[in-house]
Amino acid sequence: MSVCSLLTLIIMTQNTISNNKSLAKNTLYLYLRTFITMIVGLYASRIVLQVLGASDFGLYNVVGGVLTMFTMISSALQVGTQRFLSFALGESDDEKLKKTFSIALGLHFIVAILVLALAETIGLWFLNNYLNIPDGREQAALYVYQFTIFGFMFSFIQVPFQSCLIAHEKMSIYAYMSIYDAVMKLAIVIVLPFLTIDKLVAYGALLLLLHFSTVLIYNIYCRKNFSECVFSISFDKNLTREIVYYSGWNIFGGSVNLFANQGINILLNIFYGTIVNAARGLTVTVSNILFQFITSFQMAADPQIIKLYAAKELDKFHRLLINSCRIATYLYFLVAIPVFLEINFILKFWLGEYPTYTNVFIRIILIELYFKTVNQPILYSIHASGKMKWQNIVCSTLLFMMFPCNWIVLEYGCTPEMVFIISALFWGINNIGCLVFSNKYTGLSIRDVIIKVYGNTILGGSIMLLIPYLVSINVTEGWMGFIIVCSVSIICSIVVIYYWGITDGMRQLLKEKLYKYCLLYTSPSPR
């Protein structure tokens, strides 16, 4: 069992959840998924950059970034679908479960058609008239754009099936599918150099085929194993209104964040061109991999958060939120601090030559990820309450303001890294808004979060950073320096987490668990 799944088990034990072993097992599956997809994703990015070149790689990240952009909407709908399916499962209401899935699938089809209509009109017009596309690559950009749109359609339709897997806590299948996706992407980039047609167009077409195969596998598995995964035209007015209202506000929030996020990419394209887009694309790759590491931990805890809130066990609910925030943040520090200190060596080993600004962008976005990591459980507590309207209006409007602010600073000649600094600041402010709404809707103590989460993790994280930093400035660059800094960082992190990051009760449980495992593996086997 990994350290991460062991910590998850301890957190849940403190909340007296009955299925502790299942939860730890699910966490282990999710971390296995994250580790494999991380290794494959990093290697695949290196090959794609080499095969396409920095300019075409940046072009794909602007045009093909539409799929990543619309992923925010699908993620918003997935949270809603998962929530209602989890409630129906908790109520053991098979009829409601079937209706919920049918309504969710129908809603996804409708949204997918609306996105297609917008993409083929406004999106196409913007692509042809405003994007900074290198001469001679207009036709390739158009092909990639169309492949991306239809890839989004396939990915979007699979969301209700993914939600069923998570609601049923079948994390092993979810992990296997993520690994399948990563391995197939690796196969694509291995084949890519041997193709004689335009590499950028071929890459977009092969990814489209991958999206189609993925949704087909999800569809077949879920229909075979979950009785509710069959679409039927059965209209339940109250349930439909509840799902549409909840998901509608999530879509609003996701759409605003989508615009702000992709808007930054477009601004960088207009002011600095595709090379800076390539640097941002690599930065987003690193960011997504690290954030997957955190969401793997959180995804295993999410169904338990909903069940505690639904059961109105608010003391356990609040304790789970605080512990999830702290442990998720310290697990993030465990990975992020070595990356922050050794980013130049990592990029050189990973990519060889890399676009200008990449190392600076990554260091800034690691700070932004701290705010996102702390906020994940708090945001999910609001989802558990079902009261999404004002949180989405206030927080999404706040995040949207990143776009005009970045536009202004770029107009005045600021360098690209200022865009990332502004983004990190806005995400920090966004955390304040989410905390206020969680307090209002679920009673989560603001004082407890400030002291037990922010105060604790900032002080602990500072110690975890300071000691490896002092080591890093006194060792030579290269493999030896990298190994020394990472070793010191991991040792320092484990000590800080044990003596400062976890509570006395969690520390005692950790001792007991470790003692049992030691006995298990040191006791002589019976003859």
Side-chain angles (χ1 to χ4, degrees), residues 10 13-14 505-514:
I10 291 168
T13 303
Q14 284 210 315
M506 293 167 66
R507 193 178 302 111
Q508 183 60 38
L509 284 170
L510 181 59
K511 290 179 182 178
E512 293 174 4
K513 297 292 180 184
L514 290 174

Side-chain angles (χ1 to χ4, degrees), residues 247-415:
S247 298
W249 285 113
N250 281 339
I251 292 173
F252 169 78
S255 300
V256 172
N257 293 341
L258 169 158
F259 181 81
N261 185 64
Q262 187 63 10
I264 290 173
N265 210 19
I266 292 170
L267 285 175
L268 289 173
N269 174 262
I270 293 171
F271 283 92
Y272 288 98
T274 54
I275 300 298
V276 172
N277 286 128
R280 184 180 186 274
L282 293 168
T283 301
V284 170
T285 298
V286 174
S287 171
N288 289 342
I289 288 171
L290 288 175
F291 200 57
Q292 276 184 12
F293 182 77
I294 302 308
T295 54
S296 295
F297 169 83
Q298 187 59 37
M299 191 179 292
D302 285 347
Q304 305 299 330
I305 289 175
I306 288 180
K307 290 171 185 176
L308 284 173
Y309 184 84
K312 300 190 183 304
E313 298 183 54
L314 293 183
D315 287 341
K316 296 175 183 177
F317 172 78
H318 293 150
R319 188 161 61 247
L320 175 57
L321 286 175
I322 296 291
N323 289 339
S324 294
C325 287
R326 276 173 63 162
I327 295 302
T329 303
Y330 278 112
L331 291 177
Y332 169 69
F333 284 155
L334 190 66
V335 178
I337 287 174
V339 174
F340 185 91
L341 294 174
E342 291 293 315
I343 188 58
N344 292 329
F345 173 81
I346 292 170
L347 286 173
K348 187 175 180 180
F349 171 72
W350 173 29
L351 303 170
E353 295 295 325
Y354 54 87
T356 308
Y357 295 113
T358 306
N359 54 345
V360 180
F361 288 174
I362 290 175
R363 280 189 169 132
I364 299 171
I365 212 166
L366 289 175
I367 298 171
E368 177 183 308
L369 280 176
Y370 164 74
F371 295 118
K372 290 183 177 180
T373 300
V374 174
N375 198 49
Q376 274 297 103
I378 295 171
L379 179 60
Y380 207 80
S381 72
I382 303 172
H383 282 283
S385 73
K387 299 173 182 177
M388 303 303 303
K389 178 179 178 180
W390 286 107
Q391 182 271 332
N392 272 298
I393 290 175
V394 174
C395 294
S396 297
T397 302
L398 175 66
L399 291 176
F400 173 79
M401 294 305 295
M402 283 191 294
F403 181 77
C405 287
N406 282 316
W407 194 341
I408 291 170
V409 299
L410 290 175
E411 283 283 4
Y412 276 91
C414 288
T415 54

